[in-house]
Amino acid sequence: PEEQAKVTAAWKEALARDDGSLGLYVHIPFCRQRCLYCRYFSVALGQKCELSRYLRALADEMEIYRKIFKGRPFRTLYIGGGTPAILSVGQLEKLFSDLYSAFDLRELKQTAFEGNPDFLDQRKLRLLKKRGVNRLTIGVQSLDCKVIKAVNRYQSADSFLRCFNEAREAGIENINVDLMAGLPGQSIRSGMETLAAVLALRPEMVHIHPF
């Protein structure tokens, strides 16, 4: 209770300076395995029940913040990780329901979601579209299978292409593709071939991050 009071007081002080452009970030820290290059907080998922426990804890935390942000509209919502796409369709639906119940999201301008292509299928993508996701970031990093293996990643070029096309079919407006340069085993040729293949799909944005 004492720590909660400190958090509440700090947020109230910050909100007194709010310029009307609040953004909400939700972190889902789980992945199938941790990639070599990852600099965010993420853990390899052990048992699926860990997801349910995490979502329950997240819902409890929302209840704390519900009172703090009452009457404060959010302009952006970003769900990242880890990979939030690891959640099932039912878990994603519950997450969005909890968020819309706890916060004023009626004036959202951007709802962003990031995910690994291996966990994004047609049902999840259609749900994301229904829930207002208008910016999808697909983590690819490289389409070179040797590079993917070297960084302890697991998606294939085929799974990425399937995911990208299904996201288009679902009607998601903006698709961003994340790539990396300078990965172990990656040559200039390998990197350029990946970039050319991604650009041929005409995504709305491509981010190239240094290793």
Side-chain angles (χ1 to χ4, degrees), residues 54-121:
Y54 184 80
L55 290 176
R56 285 197 296 271
L58 202 57
D60 290 342
E61 189 172 9
M62 289 182 204
E63 286 302 310
I64 296 172
Y65 285 104
R66 175 201 295 268
K67 298 173 184 176
I68 298 173
F69 290 99
K70 185 177 181 180
R72 299 276 187 164
F74 286 86
R75 300 291 187 266
T76 60
L77 170 63
Y78 192 105
I79 304 174
T83 177
I86 203 170
L87 299 174
S88 68
V89 171
Q91 288 170 331
L92 285 170
E93 182 64 71
K94 183 180 187 310
L95 175 61
F96 277 103
S97 295
D98 288 347
L99 287 168
Y100 272 85
S101 174
F103 304 108
D104 184 353
L105 305 180
R106 293 172 297 178
E107 299 180 22
L108 285 176
K109 302 299 182 184
Q110 177 174 265
T111 301
F113 187 95
E114 64 178 40
N116 183 290
D118 277 8
F119 291 109
L120 286 169
D121 57 26

Side-chain angles (χ1 to χ4, degrees), residues 5-19 68-69 72:
K6 290 180 181 179
V7 170
T8 300
W11 268 113
K12 286 183 176 179
E13 181 181 345
L15 288 172
R17 304 187 298 272
D18 174 36
D19 62 359
I68 298 173
F69 290 99
R72 299 276 187 164

Side-chain angles (χ1 to χ4, degrees), residues 193-205:
E193 286 176 349
T194 289
L195 179 60
V198 169
L199 291 177
L201 297 172
R202 301 183 66 82
E204 280 65 41
M205 186 174 293

Side-chain angles (χ1 to χ4, degrees), residues 5-208:
K6 290 180 181 179
V7 170
T8 300
W11 268 113
K12 286 183 176 179
E13 181 181 345
L15 288 172
R17 304 187 298 272
D18 174 36
D19 62 359
S21 57
L22 280 175
L24 178 62
Y25 175 74
V26 181
H27 190 70
I28 307 296
F30 299 102
C31 286
R32 178 187 294 175
Q33 59 204 45
R34 187 172 170 83
C35 299
L36 176 66
Y37 55 79
C38 187
R39 58 183 181 271
Y40 303 106
F41 177 71
S42 65
V43 294
L45 180 65
Q47 299 179 330
K48 289 186 177 180
C49 61
E50 293 177 24
L51 294 175
S52 298
R53 287 201 297 267
Y54 184 80
L55 290 176
R56 285 197 296 271
L58 202 57
D60 290 342
E61 189 172 9
M62 289 182 204
E63 286 302 310
I64 296 172
Y65 285 104
R66 175 201 295 268
K67 298 173 184 176
I68 298 173
F69 290 99
K70 185 177 181 180
R72 299 276 187 164
F74 286 86
R75 300 291 187 266
T76 60
L77 170 63
Y78 192 105
I79 304 174
T83 177
I86 203 170
L87 299 174
S88 68
V89 171
Q91 288 170 331
L92 285 170
E93 182 64 71
K94 183 180 187 310
L95 175 61
F96 277 103
S97 295
D98 288 347
L99 287 168
Y100 272 85
S101 174
F103 304 108
D104 184 353
L105 305 180
R106 293 172 297 178
E107 299 180 22
L108 285 176
K109 302 299 182 184
Q110 177 174 265
T111 301
F113 187 95
E114 64 178 40
N116 183 290
D118 277 8
F119 291 109
L120 286 169
D121 57 26
Q122 286 181 325
R123 290 183 65 208
K124 289 182 184 179
L125 290 164
R126 286 197 293 265
L127 172 63
L128 295 180
K129 173 62 178 179
K130 184 183 83 170
R131 281 301 195 167
V133 170
N134 53 15
R135 178 187 171 98
L136 174 68
T137 292
I138 304 175
V140 176
Q141 321 318 337
S142 173
L143 295 176
D144 184 329
C145 60
K146 293 180 181 178
V147 175
I148 289 298
K149 185 177 181 180
V151 297
N152 198 39
R153 203 168 167 80
Y154 45 86
Q155 101 274 338
S156 66
D158 287 343
S159 67
F160 162 62
L161 291 171
R162 173 202 54 76
C163 176
F164 189 96
N165 290 328
E166 288 179 352
R168 283 284 189 235
E169 291 170 6
I172 294 176
E173 299 168 30
N174 298 288
I175 301 177
N176 170 60
V177 178
D178 276 353
L179 301 177
M180 293 193 76
L183 291 168
Q186 185 182 47
S187 63
I188 292 177
R189 179 177 179 178
S190 167
M192 293 303 292
E193 286 176 349
T194 289
L195 179 60
V198 169
L199 291 177
L201 297 172
R202 301 183 66 82
E204 280 65 41
M205 186 174 293
V206 176
H207 279 148
I208 302 178

